[in-house]
Amino acid sequence: MTGAPASAAGGSPGAKGAAGAPGASGAPGAGGGSGASGTSGASSAPGTSGASAASGAPEGPKTPRGGKLGAAAVNQASLWNIANILTMIRLALVPGFVALMLADGGYDPAMRAWAWAAFAVAMITDIFDGHLARTYNLVTDFGKIADPIADKAIMGAALVCLSALDDLPWWVTFVILGRELGVTLLRFVVIRYGVIPASRGGKLKTLAQGTAVGMYILPLTGALATLRFWVMAVAVVLTVVTGIDYVRQAVVLRRRGIAERRAAAAEAER
């Protein structure tokens, strides 16, 4: 009987796998033949290093326990990053700026110069904190909320102070602040459909507003006083035009989002 073939002798599945019989490698539950390289039951058995070595498949890198949590912790930007610190500085400058603007009735040239310096620092930090956050992946939930608040706070404080001192008409303050608050609310309304990106016109508007308000903070006279009037006029025009454009973008974004949702719902019903 030693010369009989293994298939005729009713040999074990392990023997069949060793003989290279077809179908042996796909037989489920062939755990008895773990030493045979042909049995897929052995090669697919989890945790058997001998099986993986026998099948020739290289072992993948093992993730250490808690590795995913560690990676997530690294990816989370710290609250105390440079972008958020600049935003906090801008927020802290607001009450100091107001105090300097209203000191001695609001007409002390030295105090107005210091107020201009505080406003300039706030505008500069506004430029750098967003750039740093996007460039070095320092975006945090705090920054998303605090940054626009800090922007509106310093600009709003400057406009209200200037109008309260009769240096700037109240309707200009209402137009600029109304536009800023309206666009912010509009972004929140359509956030479910997408994000309205900052346009080039919006950036020019911000630059014009900052320049015009800064010139009004300083006690300028003569030709410079005339120049600041026209700079403010350009800022107001850009404020209105870009505000209308943001409304248009919001309407288009909402319609597109509703259409995509309806199309997805119709596709799911098929």
Side-chain angles (χ1 to χ4, degrees):
M1 297 295 295
T2 58
S7 58
S12 64
K16 293 179 182 180
S25 62
S34 61
S37 63
T39 58
S40 64
S43 62
S44 62
T48 56
S49 60
S52 61
S55 61
E59 292 187 19
K62 295 183 179 180
T63 303
R65 184 175 299 176
K68 293 183 178 180
L69 294 177
V74 171
N75 292 333
Q76 285 288 339
S78 171
L79 174 64
W80 296 101
N81 61 63
I82 184 62
N84 285 346
I85 291 174
L86 291 176
T87 300
M88 295 176 193
I89 291 174
R90 192 159 69 258
L91 282 170
L93 284 172
V94 174
F97 167 79
V98 173
L100 291 170
M101 278 291 295
L102 302 179
D104 295 332
Y107 296 102
D108 186 343
M111 292 297 100
R112 293 287 287 262
W114 281 109
W116 177 87
F119 182 81
V121 170
M123 291 295 100
I124 293 172
T125 59
D126 180 28
I127 296 173
F128 281 102
D129 63 355
H131 175 73
L132 291 172
R134 292 186 297 269
T135 302
Y136 298 101
N137 195 23
L138 301 177
V139 178
T140 62
D141 292 337
F142 171 82
K144 293 177 183 177
I145 297 174
D147 183 67
I149 291 177
D151 298 343
K152 305 302 183 290
I154 190 65
M155 183 60 70
L159 290 169
V160 170
C161 286
L162 289 171
S163 294
L165 295 172
D166 292 328
D167 289 341
L168 188 68
W170 276 106
W171 69 266
V172 174
T173 296
F174 290 145
V175 166
I176 294 178
L177 292 185
R179 184 268 187 198
E180 298 301 327
L181 294 177
V183 169
T184 300
L185 292 176
L186 197 62
R187 287 178 182 272
F188 281 111
V189 169
V190 299
I191 191 66
R192 69 183 69 179
Y193 304 110
V195 177
I196 303 177
S199 64
R200 181 174 299 178
K203 295 177 181 178
L204 289 175
K205 178 269 306 178
T206 302
L207 177 61
Q209 283 183 0
T211 303
V213 171
M215 294 180 72
Y216 268 86
I217 292 172
L218 290 172
L220 302 178
T221 58
L224 290 178
T226 303
L227 176 62
R228 73 182 181 182
F229 170 83
W230 290 109
V231 174
M232 180 61 75
V234 172
V236 171
V237 171
L238 288 174
T239 297
V240 174
V241 171
T242 56
I244 295 174
D245 184 61
Y246 272 115
V247 173
R248 180 193 62 80
Q249 291 186 59
V251 172
V252 172
L253 186 63
R254 182 176 181 275
R255 288 178 178 174
R256 184 188 306 158
I258 292 175
E260 290 177 353
R261 288 188 177 185
R262 288 177 178 175
E267 185 69 21
E269 291 177 357
R270 293 179 182 177

